[in-house]
C-alpha cells in the first residue's frame, strides 16, 4: 500500500503550538505521504516525512517534534500519516527509525503502526543528516554571538569537522568524510541534566518554559563570580569580574540573599551545562586538530542565550581561533539522516511517478523524444520553501521552511569562480546589514504586492480575471504580506535577507496558493507581437554595416530588457502598451562607468567563441527582439549557444518550455536558428534572480565547454551576480530599473549595464 494522505498544514499547527507558524499557514491541503523517518531520543522524538502533491510534485520534506514522555502522540501522528483507506498500491510503507528510543519503543511502533520498522544507526544518521543539510540547504549554518547571527557557507570546506550533538546527554563525533566518522567523546551532562535539575528545583516540566525563565534570570545572584572573590577583574589570567568562578557557588555565601528566584536558578544551570559542553568540545577539537565545531541537538532550539554561551566558551578557550557553528535544523539531524540512509538503500528505479519534468534541451529536435525517466537516490536536490514556515521554539531566532525536492541535481556552473581568494556571493547587497535598504525593499514589495490586485482589477492580468483566480490572488497577497511583516521585525528569520530572497519568497507564495503563472496571458500576447516584429528587425540588422552590427545588437538586448513587469517604474507603460523597442532604447543612458561594451565588440570581431551560455530574462520583446538577434549573430560566428531559462514561472520571465516554443517559431522565421548548435536548458530556478551555485545539472553538463557566459536582466545581473567572476569571458547585460539598486551601484535610473570581463586567470 502507498502512504496515505495528511493535512500537512494542520500537522504544522499541531506540532508548533508555541511558534509563529500558525498565523501564516495556508488553508488545509491534502498531499500524499511517501515516507516517514523518526528519531526518538531520551527527551524528544523528531519526525521527518515526505509528501507529494500539486504544489510539490517532486516531493516535500516536513519536520515535526514531540516530547518522548508523550511518545503516544508521536505514534498517533505517524499513524495519521500512514492512514489511507482508499490506497491500492502494492508498496508497503517502511518507517526509518533511529535514536535510542527506536530500540526502546520498537515493539510499540510495530504494534500500533503495523508496518516494517527499519532501525538505522544513530551516529551514522546524525552525520548523514548534517552532511545533507550543509550541502543542500542555503543559510543552514550560522554563528551567533552578542545578538549577532552570521550565516556561513560551509559546503566548500566541510571536512574534517566535529559534531557536538546535545540531546539528553552529549555525543561528540569526529567526521572526516561521507560515511567516515567516529565517536571521540561525550558527557552525561546534557539537555536531560538541565531538564532534570530545573524540574527538581523549580517544579517546571516544560522545556520551553524552562528556557523562557532563563531570559529574566540573573545568575550572579546564584553563582559565585570572579568579582565576588577578587573584587575586580583578574586581568593577568584573562578573567573578567563577570566570569563565573563557581556555578551555584554563591548559594552559601552569607552576604547573599537566601531567597532565590526560579529564573536566577534556571539561568545559572543553563550556563553551567552550556559552559561545560563548550569546554569539553574545545578540548576535543584541540586534541584532534579540528577547527569546524558544529553544535546540534534539540537542546539548543535556536535559543539565543544557549548559543551565545556555547559561542563564548569556544571563543574564550580557543582565544578566538575557533568558532561555534549552529544549524537551523539542529534538532532534526538524526531523523533527516535516517531518511536519506534509507533512500540510499533503494535500488535504482524509474521515477516517472513523481512527475519529473523532461530535459527540454532535447525537445528542439522533433525527432528526439525526451527521456523522462530519472533514477532514485541522490540525483536530485532540495530547496527550502518558506511559504509555510514554522519555528523550533517561541524564541528561536530562525525559522524552518519545508524542503522541496527538485527534479534534478543542482550544481555550480562549471565556469563560476568560487575560491578563498575570489569567493562567490550571489547577492549584490546583503540587506541584513543595510537597514535603509532593508526598509526600502520590504516597503517596495508590499506596494508591488498590493499593486497586483489593481492589475487584476484593470484586466492587465488575464489569468486572474475569473473569481477563483482572483480569490487565490487575494490569498497570496495576505500570505506574502504576513511574511514581509514578520521579516520587518525579525529580518533573519528565513536566512540572510536579500532582494533575491524576497523575490524568491514571493514566487513560492504564489505557487503555494495555486497561482503557477499569473503573467501567462501577458507573456503569450507580448511574445506573439514580438515574433511578428522579428523579421523586420532582422532585415534591418542585416542591412547594417558589419562593424556597427555587434554594438547595435547589444543596445537591442538592453532595450528589450526594459520590458520587465517586475519594474514598478515601467509597469504602467507596459499595462497601457505604450512602450516599444525604440522608446525603450531612447530611455536608456550609456555611461562609461557601467559600459565597456566596446571591448566586447573588439573581442568578438577578432575572436570566435566556441560555446556561449546565455541566461535569459523576460518573455516578449526581451528574448525575441533583444536576445534572439544577438544569439543569431553568435550562431553565424559558428559559436554554439545554450539558452538557459527559468524552470518554473516568475513574473514575466520566460521559462524553458516557453523558450523551446519561441525558438521553434523563430526557426520558421529565419534559417539561422535551424541548427543543432542551439539548445535550450532549464536553470532549475523559479525566481527572478539566480544563484550560480545551484543550477540544473543538465544545464551544467550541456554548457561545461562554454568559453563565454552571458547574463541578461536586472534580477540576474544586478540584484545577483553583479560581482560574479568566471574562468572564461563574461558579459552582463541589464538596465538599472530601480532607484535603490541604482543608488547602491552609484548609477542612475535607466543606466545601461554592459559589463564585459575577461576570464579570471
Amino acid at each position: 500500500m502507498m502512504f496515505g494522505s495528511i493535512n500537512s498544514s494542520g500537522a504544522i499547527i499541531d506540532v508548533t503550538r508555541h511558534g509563529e507558524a500558525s498565523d501564516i499557514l495556508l488553508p488545509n491541503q491534502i498531499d500524499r505521504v511517501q515516507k516517514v523517518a523518526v528519531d526518538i531520543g531520551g527527551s524528544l522524538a523528531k519526525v521527518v516525512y515526505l509528501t507529494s502533491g500539486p504544489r510539490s510534485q517532486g516531493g516535500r520534506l516536513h519536520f515535526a517534534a514531540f516530547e518522548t514522555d508523550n511518545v503516544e502522540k508521536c505514534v498517533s501522528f505517524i499513524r495519521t500519516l500512514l492512514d489511507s483507506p482508499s490506497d491500492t498500491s502494492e508498496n508497503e510503507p517502511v518507517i526509518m527509525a533511529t535514536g535510542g528510543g527506536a530500540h526502546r519503543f520498537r515493539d510499540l511502533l510495530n504494534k500500533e503502526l503495523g508496518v516494517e520498522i527499519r532501525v538505522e544507526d544513530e551516529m551514522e544518521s546524525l552525520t548523514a543528516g548534517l552532511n545533507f543539510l550543509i550541502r543542500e540547504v542555503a543559510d543552514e549554518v550560522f554563528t551567533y554571538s552578542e545578538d549577532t547571527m552570521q550565516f556561513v557557507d560551509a559546503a566548500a570546506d566541510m571536512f574534517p569537522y566535529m559534531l557536538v550533538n546535545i540531546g539528553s546527554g552529549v555525543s561528540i563525533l569526529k567526521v572526516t568524510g561521507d560515511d567516515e566518522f567516529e565517536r571521540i567523546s561525550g558527557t552525561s551532562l546534557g539537555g536531560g541534566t538541565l531538564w532534570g535539575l530545573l524540574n527538581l528545583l523549580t517544579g517546571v516540566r516544560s522545556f520551553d518554559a524552562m528556557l523562557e525563565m532563563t531570559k529574566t534570570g540573573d545568575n550572579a545572584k546564584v553563582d559565585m563570580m570572579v568579582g565576588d572573590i577578587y573584587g575586580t577583574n583578574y586581568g593577568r589570567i584573562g578573567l573578567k569580574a563577570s566570569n563565573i568562578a563557581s556555578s551555584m557557588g554563591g548559594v552559601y555565601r552569607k552576604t547573599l540573599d537566601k531567597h532565590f528566584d526560579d529564573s536566577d536558578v534556571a539561568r545559572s544551570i543553563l550556563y553551567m551545562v552550556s559552559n561545560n559542553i563548550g569546554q569539553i568540545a574545545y578540548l576535543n577539537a584541540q586534541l584532534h586538530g579540528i577547527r569546524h565545531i558544529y553544535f546540534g541537538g534539540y537542546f539548543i532550539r535556536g535559543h539565543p542565550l544557549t548559543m551565545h554561551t556555547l559561542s563564548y566558551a569556544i571563543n574564550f578557550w580557543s582565544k578566538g581561533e575557533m568558532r561555534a557553528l549552529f544549524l537551523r535544523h539542529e534538532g532534526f539531524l538524526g531523523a533527516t539522516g535516517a531518511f536519506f540512509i534509507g533512500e540510499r538503500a533503494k535500488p535504482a528505479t524509474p521515477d516517472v511517478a513523481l512527475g519529473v519534468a523532461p530535459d527540454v534541451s532535447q525537445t528542439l529536435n522533433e525527432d528526439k523524444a525526451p527521456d523522462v525517466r530519472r533514477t532514485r537516490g541522490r540525483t536530485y536536490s532540495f530547496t527550502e520553501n518558506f511559504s509555510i514556515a514554522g519555528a523550533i521554539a517561541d524564541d528561536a531566532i530562525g525559522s524552518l521552511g519545508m524542503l522541496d525536492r527538485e527534479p534534478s541535481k543542482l550544481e555550480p556552473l562549471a565556469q563560476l569562480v568560487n575560491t578563498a581568494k575570489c569567493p562567490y556571493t550571489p547577492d549584490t547587497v546583503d540587506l541584513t546589514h543595510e537597514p535603509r535598504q532593508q526598509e526600502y525593499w520590504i516597503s517596495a514589495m508590499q506596494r508591488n504586492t498590493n499593486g497586483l490586485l489593481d492589475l487584476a482589477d484593470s484586466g492587465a492580468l488575464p489569468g486572474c480575471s475569473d473569481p477563483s483566480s482572483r480569490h487565490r490572488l487575494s490569498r497570496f497577497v495576505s500570505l506574502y504580506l504576513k511574511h514581509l511583516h514578520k521579516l520587518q521585525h525579525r529580518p533573519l528569520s528565513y536566512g540572510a535577507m536579500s532582494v533575491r530572497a524576497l523575490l524568491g519568497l514571493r514566487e513560492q507564495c504564489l505557487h503555494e496558493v495555486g497561482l503557477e503563472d499569473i503573467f501567462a496571458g501577458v507573456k503569450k500576447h507580448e511574445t506573439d507581437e514580438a515574433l511578428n516584429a522579428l523579421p523586420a528587425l532582422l532585415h534591418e540588422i542585416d542591412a547594417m554595416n558589419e562593424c556597427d552590427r555587434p554594438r547595435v545588437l547589444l543596445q537591442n538586448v538592453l532595450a528589450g530588457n526594459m520590458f520587465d513587469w517586475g519594474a514598478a517604474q515601467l509597469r504602467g507603460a507596459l499595462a497601457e502598451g505604450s512602450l516599444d523597442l525604440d522608446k525603450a532604447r531612447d530611455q536608456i543612458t550609456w555611461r562609461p562607468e557601467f559600459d565597456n561594451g566596446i571591448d566586447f565588440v573588439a573581442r568578438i570581431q577578432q575572436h570566435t567563441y566556441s560555446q556561449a551560455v546565455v541566461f535569459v530574462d523576460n518573455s516578449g520583446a526581451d528574448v525575441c527582439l533583444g536576445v534572439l538577434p544577438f544569439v543569431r549573430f553568435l550562431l553565424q560566428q559558428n559559436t554554439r549557444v545554450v539558452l538557459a531559462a527559468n524552470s518554473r514561472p516568475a513574473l514575466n520571465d520566460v521559462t524553458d518550455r516557453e523558450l523551446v516554443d519561441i525558438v521553434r517559431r523563430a526557426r520558421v522565421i529565419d534559417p539561422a536558428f535551424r541548427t543543432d548548435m542551439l539548445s535550450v536548458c532549464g536553470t532549475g530556478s523559479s525566481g527572478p534572480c539566480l544563484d550560480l551555485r545551484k543550477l540544473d545539472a543538465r544545464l551544467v553538463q550541456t554548457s561545461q565547454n562554454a568559453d563565454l557566459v552571458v547574463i541578461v536582466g536586472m534580477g540576474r545581473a544586478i540584484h545577483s551576480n553583479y560581482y560574479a567572476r568566471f574562468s572564461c569571458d563574461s558579459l552582463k547585460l541589464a538596465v538599472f530599473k530601480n532607484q535603490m539598486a541604482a543608488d547602491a551601484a552609484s548609477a542612475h535610473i535607466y543606466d545601461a549595464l554592459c559589463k564585459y570581463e575577461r576570464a579570471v586567470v
Side-chain angles (χ1 to χ4, degrees):
M1 56 182 280
M2 176 74 86
F3 278 11
S5 29
I6 175 67
N7 179 328
S8 59
S9 60
I12 293 179
I13 292 175
D14 289 342
V15 179
T16 326
R17 295 185 189 89
H18 308 297
E20 302 171 15
S22 58
D23 64 347
I24 60 172
L25 287 176
L26 299 178
N28 297 340
Q29 70 181 57
I30 301 299
D31 286 342
R32 291 184 300 117
V33 174
Q34 296 183 321
K35 185 177 177 183
V36 180
V38 59
D39 173 14
I40 307 178
S43 304
L44 294 160
K46 289 77 66 177
V47 180
V48 171
Y49 59 100
L50 178 73
T51 66
S52 67
R55 307 292 184 263
S56 55
Q57 292 185 355
R60 173 173 286 177
L61 278 181
H62 306 257
F63 303 88
F66 305 82
E67 292 186 3
T68 302
D69 284 349
N70 297 317
V71 71
E72 293 80 8
K73 290 185 178 180
C74 177
V75 174
S76 176
F77 175 75
I78 296 175
R79 187 189 305 115
T80 305
L81 296 178
L82 301 178
D83 183 25
S84 180
S86 60
D87 257 330
T88 58
S89 171
E90 296 180 358
N91 296 325
E92 290 291 336
V94 176
I95 302 296
M96 313 304 299
T98 189
H103 302 276
R104 176 185 171 192
F105 296 108
R106 187 169 188 169
D107 291 343
L108 174 65
L109 293 171
N110 275 317
K111 176 183 176 182
E112 295 296 326
L113 300 177
V115 299
E116 179 186 352
I117 308 299
R118 186 178 299 161
V119 177
E120 301 293 346
D121 179 76
E122 181 178 4
M123 301 305 154
E124 183 181 3
S125 297
L126 287 171
T127 58
L130 179 52
N131 291 342
F132 165 81
L133 291 168
I134 292 174
R135 288 189 174 117
E136 294 287 341
V137 182
D139 295 336
E140 172 67 26
V141 181
F142 62 93
T143 61
Y144 186 85
S145 180
E146 300 291 347
D147 297 324
T148 300
M149 185 181 189
Q150 185 72 45
F151 292 100
V152 177
D153 182 5
D157 183 25
M158 280 181 59
F159 304 112
Y161 68 76
M162 195 172 77
L163 170 60
V164 183
N165 192 63
I166 312 173
S168 300
V170 179
S171 286
I172 300 179
L173 307 179
K174 176 184 176 181
V175 184
T176 54
D178 289 308
D179 302 319
E180 298 176 9
F181 64 90
E182 61 176 314
R183 187 180 188 275
I184 57 175
S185 187
T187 174
S188 61
L189 300 182
T193 307
L194 176 73
W195 203 330
L197 287 176
L198 285 183
N199 176 246
L200 287 173
L201 295 174
T202 69
V204 175
R205 293 192 56 81
S206 165
F207 197 67
D208 284 326
M210 292 176 183
L211 293 180
E212 184 67 25
M213 282 197 305
T214 65
K215 292 181 181 179
T216 57
D218 181 2
N219 67 295
K221 294 181 178 179
V222 177
D223 295 337
M224 181 182 293
M225 316 302 288
V226 169
D228 294 330
I229 301 173
Y230 296 99
T232 184
N233 300 334
Y234 193 166
R236 186 172 182 179
I237 60 173
L239 294 178
K240 298 179 181 179
S242 57
N243 288 149
I244 300 172
S246 173
S247 294
M248 306 291 289
V251 171
Y252 294 105
R253 287 178 58 85
K254 296 180 180 179
T255 56
L256 292 180
D257 188 348
K258 288 300 181 180
H259 173 73
F260 303 109
D261 190 87
D262 285 349
S263 62
D264 301 334
V265 173
R267 196 175 184 104
S268 171
I269 294 178
L270 176 66
Y271 280 156
M272 179 182 69
V273 173
S274 299
N275 279 325
N276 181 72
I277 294 171
Q279 185 174 16
I280 292 174
Y282 159 74
L283 291 172
N284 277 279
Q286 183 75 2
L287 179 64
H288 291 271
I290 296 175
R291 290 292 175 266
H292 303 312
I293 307 174
Y294 290 93
F295 288 90
Y298 219 76
F299 166 76
I300 301 172
R301 300 167 73 86
H303 187 235
L305 188 57
T306 305
M307 292 188 295
H308 171 73
T309 306
L310 292 169
S311 293
Y312 181 86
I314 295 297
N315 181 72
F316 177 84
W317 291 110
S318 72
K319 295 180 170 59
E321 293 184 4
M322 301 178 188
R323 295 184 302 173
L325 300 173
F326 301 99
L327 306 148
R328 288 192 294 111
H329 291 82
E330 63 201 20
F332 294 96
L333 302 185
T336 302
F339 183 97
F340 287 106
I341 291 173
E343 195 79 357
R344 288 203 308 253
K346 289 185 178 180
T349 55
D351 211 13
V352 180
L354 294 182
V356 175
D359 179 358
V360 299
S361 65
Q362 302 178 40
T363 59
L364 287 174
N365 298 319
E366 298 287 359
D367 59 343
K368 194 171 184 181
D371 180 9
V372 300
R373 294 166 64 88
R374 310 291 300 159
T375 22
R376 289 190 187 272
R378 300 296 286 116
T379 57
Y380 51 82
S381 290
F382 283 85
T383 57
E384 194 161 14
N385 186 328
F386 287 105
S387 58
I388 300 178
I392 293 178
D394 282 350
D395 61 348
I397 60 176
S399 295
L400 303 183
M402 307 163 292
L403 297 184
D404 285 344
R405 187 168 112 167
E406 302 296 336
S408 175
K409 186 72 176 172
L410 300 180
E411 299 176 349
L413 184 71
Q415 296 79 4
L416 178 67
V417 174
N418 186 14
T419 63
K421 184 178 179 181
C422 185
Y424 170 73
T425 301
D427 302 307
T428 304
V429 178
D430 183 354
L431 301 184
T432 304
H433 305 295
E434 296 287 344
R436 187 175 70 90
Q437 290 220 36
Q438 183 183 121
E439 180 181 358
Y440 168 85
W441 281 108
I442 290 180
S443 297
M445 296 297 174
Q446 291 169 333
R447 291 192 301 272
N448 289 348
T449 300
N450 286 315
L452 288 177
L453 293 174
D454 297 332
L455 284 176
D457 291 340
S458 69
L461 297 178
C464 294
S465 56
D466 62 283
S468 176
S469 296
R470 184 61 170 76
H471 176 64
R472 288 193 183 96
L473 187 61
S474 296
R475 285 171 52 200
F476 155 72
V477 170
S478 176
L479 176 65
Y480 187 50
L481 290 180
K482 285 180 179 178
H483 281 295
L484 293 177
H485 177 74
K486 179 177 180 178
L487 289 171
Q488 279 182 314
H489 297 89
R490 306 183 76 170
L492 297 176
S493 291
Y494 305 151
M497 185 187 292
S498 64
V499 177
R500 177 175 60 94
L502 293 174
L503 292 172
L505 178 60
R506 178 181 63 188
E507 298 307 318
Q508 289 177 345
C509 292
L510 279 167
H511 297 161
E512 196 64 31
V513 301
L515 292 174
E516 185 69 15
D517 192 356
I518 62 175
F519 284 93
V522 173
K523 291 191 290 184
K524 182 180 184 306
H525 171 72
E526 292 186 348
T527 296
D528 290 344
E529 286 197 341
L531 287 174
N532 288 336
L534 182 59
L537 179 62
L538 295 179
H539 179 74
E540 177 186 328
I541 290 170
D542 289 342
M544 292 177 183
N545 183 292
E546 285 190 14
C547 294
D548 298 332
R549 197 174 297 160
R551 182 63 175 171
V552 171
L553 289 169
L554 292 179
Q555 292 172 348
N556 284 350
V557 173
L558 273 298
N561 196 239
M562 293 283 281
F563 290 77
D564 181 358
W565 283 79
Q569 288 86 345
L570 295 171
R571 190 176 285 175
L574 291 171
E576 296 167 2
S578 60
L579 186 67
D580 59 34
L581 199 66
D582 291 332
K583 290 181 180 178
R585 190 185 296 111
D586 291 341
Q587 280 189 264
I588 298 173
T589 54
W590 300 79
R591 299 170 60 204
E593 302 97 305
F594 307 101
D595 171 29
N596 66 340
I598 190 172
D599 296 336
F600 175 76
V601 171
R603 176 69 171 163
I604 201 74
Q605 289 175 337
Q606 299 174 1
H607 173 78
T608 297
Y609 288 101
S610 172
Q611 185 187 51
V613 55
V614 182
F615 293 91
V616 301
D617 191 6
N618 305 303
S619 282
D622 189 345
V623 69
C624 297
L625 304 181
V627 173
L628 284 185
F630 175 71
V631 166
R632 176 175 175 261
F633 172 78
L634 293 175
L635 293 170
Q636 291 169 337
Q637 296 279 98
N638 206 33
T639 299
R640 303 184 70 86
V641 178
V642 180
L643 290 172
N646 266 12
S647 298
R648 291 186 72 182
L651 292 171
N652 66 316
D653 292 1
V654 66
T655 66
D656 50 1
R657 294 178 183 277
E658 292 165 344
L659 191 53
V660 167
D661 180 66
I662 289 170
V663 172
R664 284 178 176 166
R665 295 168 68 181
R667 286 179 165 180
V668 177
I669 295 171
D670 191 277
F673 297 109
R674 299 171 205 160
T675 172
D676 60 3
M677 295 180 66
L678 176 61
S679 59
V680 174
C681 280
T683 61
S685 174
S686 59
C689 300
L690 196 61
D691 184 346
L692 294 172
R693 299 167 303 186
K694 295 181 177 294
L695 299 176
D696 191 310
R698 295 167 290 194
L699 167 61
V700 174
Q701 176 67 25
T702 304
S703 62
Q704 63 179 334
N705 296 319
D707 50 357
L708 175 65
V709 173
V710 182
I711 305 178
V712 179
M714 185 168 69
R716 292 164 183 79
I718 293 178
H719 292 322
S720 59
N721 300 305
Y722 187 78
Y723 297 112
R725 299 301 304 275
F726 303 92
S727 60
C728 66
D729 291 0
S730 64
L731 182 63
K732 298 167 187 172
L733 300 168
V735 179
F736 289 95
K737 292 165 289 191
N738 174 276
Q739 187 64 59
M740 182 61 75
D743 290 345
S746 299
H748 299 153
I749 193 76
Y750 302 134
D751 272 353
L753 175 69
C754 185
K755 187 178 182 181
Y756 174 63
E757 293 177 309
R758 297 300 302 274
V760 173
V761 179

